[in-house]
Amino acid sequence: MIEPTTTARPQAPAAVFDWLDEAAELRARAGLTRTLRSRPAEDPVLDLASNDYLGLTRHPAVTGAAAAAARRWGGGSTGSRLVTGTTALHTELEAELADFCGVEAALVFSSGYTANLAALTALTDPDTLIVSDAYNHASLIDGCRLARAQVLRAPHADPAAVGEALAARAEPRALVVSDSVFSVDGNAAPLRGLSAAARRSGAALLVDDAHGLGVLGEGGRGALAAAGLAGEPDVVATATLSKSLGSQGGAVLGPERVIRHLVESARTFIFDTGLAPAAVGAALGALRLLRAEPQRAHRAREVARTLAARLGAAGLEASTPDAAVVSVLAPTPESAVRWAADCRAAGLAVGCFRPPSVPDGISRLRLTARADLTEAQIAHAVEVLARTAPRV
Ligand SMILES: Cc1ncc(COP(=O)(O)O)c(C=O)c1O
């Protein structure tokens, strides 16, 4: 029913959102204020803050494929994947991703976030125990919250603890969930140990390979390939197209019957508009480039090791990188923010991670070891980070 415009409405209470200002004040006092900054197209600052691990997002083969896809298929996909949102390009990308990663099938989502929500909610039920690594990405945590399953938070990177939790469970089904590379520190999960623990107990393994695809495994085929688990019938991976592949979107990779089940039941697949053609085209362009130039994956890992070693030699507490992420510890959230700002002023963009984005509560700077960094850029980054480091 349409309400008559003459209906008298009570006056809006001015204080209804006052509590938001109080919450902002508390965040400010804890040094946790977050602000948006738009970057210019031609940023003179050296970028170690993005997730463009292979330096592909502005590669002409990638941007050209995006533009061609938009011209041919349109600015948007026009609907849900099950209605009008699947183009021949989506199907092509799914086939090529599956082939590249060595799995039976792949399904493309509008983001890595929605891919994780889909896998966690569709592959579990109230008779499932999810055993989730304590340091997992927020999208996996949210997937656990949405799933109607029992959830157990397991100690970080601890296959023995996972095995014990699985053995002690009452639920008939179980799913072990882990990032392949943890996004804050860049350390790799013990995937073979997790897989063995899951298998002993008849559980499935779900791996979020957001930071592994394009970096780990032969030619960047991802963490499952690196661990010898690609194509296994009890293993499923999720990935994002927004990091190494320089585009946007996400994917679930695994056995054919898992993918079929997601198509028919995953809410973030069914009730979401399909990925835009330009993003599909860009991801396909990047994937084909990676196939043609597999050394890019190796180079990203090499740059990470070089960066970490030189930062350590300069007296900074750098992580030991397993992929293309290096983190450097900061004494407090405030000093981390100041350090990142000083780096920017000196021409270097770095990521700044503070609570609640850091599972252990320790603030750090996060550096992306891009495959296209030159020796001079690596030296510049190390010099700036050492010179601007907080004095403890
Ligand atoms: C580990 C991990 N999983 C999932 C995502 C979400 O992917 P997307 O940005 O494509 O939604 C991210 C980051 O963005 C991530 O770091």
Side-chain angles (χ1 to χ4, degrees), residues 224-248:
L224 293 190
L229 295 170
E232 294 293 307
D234 56 347
V235 180
V236 175
T238 58
T240 175
L241 312 177
S242 67
K243 301 188 193 299
S244 286
L245 296 183
S247 178
Q248 192 89 28

Side-chain angles (χ1 to χ4, degrees), residues 178-239:
S178 180
D179 279 11
S180 64
V181 175
F182 291 89
S183 46
V184 174
D185 260 344
N187 59 308
L191 291 187
R192 292 178 75 86
L194 291 175
S195 165
R199 267 181 198 177
R200 271 195 298 275
S201 198
L205 175 64
L206 174 64
V207 177
D208 177 350
D209 204 18
H211 300 277
L213 178 66
V215 176
L216 296 181
E218 193 213 328
R221 283 173 166 72
L224 293 190
L229 295 170
E232 294 293 307
D234 56 347
V235 180
V236 175
T238 58

Side-chain angles (χ1 to χ4, degrees), residues 151-298:
V151 181
L152 198 143
R153 189 171 179 259
H156 176 52
D158 189 343
V162 167
E164 280 167 30
L166 291 172
R169 77 182 193 268
E171 297 78 7
R173 279 184 287 284
L175 181 69
V176 175
V177 185
S178 180
D179 279 11
S180 64
V181 175
F182 291 89
S183 46
V184 174
D185 260 344
N187 59 308
L191 291 187
R192 292 178 75 86
L194 291 175
S195 165
R199 267 181 198 177
R200 271 195 298 275
S201 198
L205 175 64
L206 174 64
V207 177
D208 177 350
D209 204 18
H211 300 277
L213 178 66
V215 176
L216 296 181
E218 193 213 328
R221 283 173 166 72
L224 293 190
L229 295 170
E232 294 293 307
D234 56 347
V235 180
V236 175
T238 58
T240 175
L241 312 177
S242 67
K243 301 188 193 299
S244 286
L245 296 183
S247 178
Q248 192 89 28
V252 178
L253 305 138
E256 180 75 50
R257 59 182 173 176
V258 166
I259 300 305
R260 191 188 336 130
H261 178 71
L262 292 176
V263 169
E264 293 177 18
S265 64
R267 293 171 67 82
T268 60
F269 183 77
I270 297 169
F271 299 105
D272 192 31
T273 296
L275 185 64
V280 179
L284 252 179
L287 190 58
R288 288 170 182 169
L289 200 68
L290 180 55
R291 284 199 114 127
E293 300 174 4
Q295 72 282 2
R296 283 179 185 268
H298 175 261

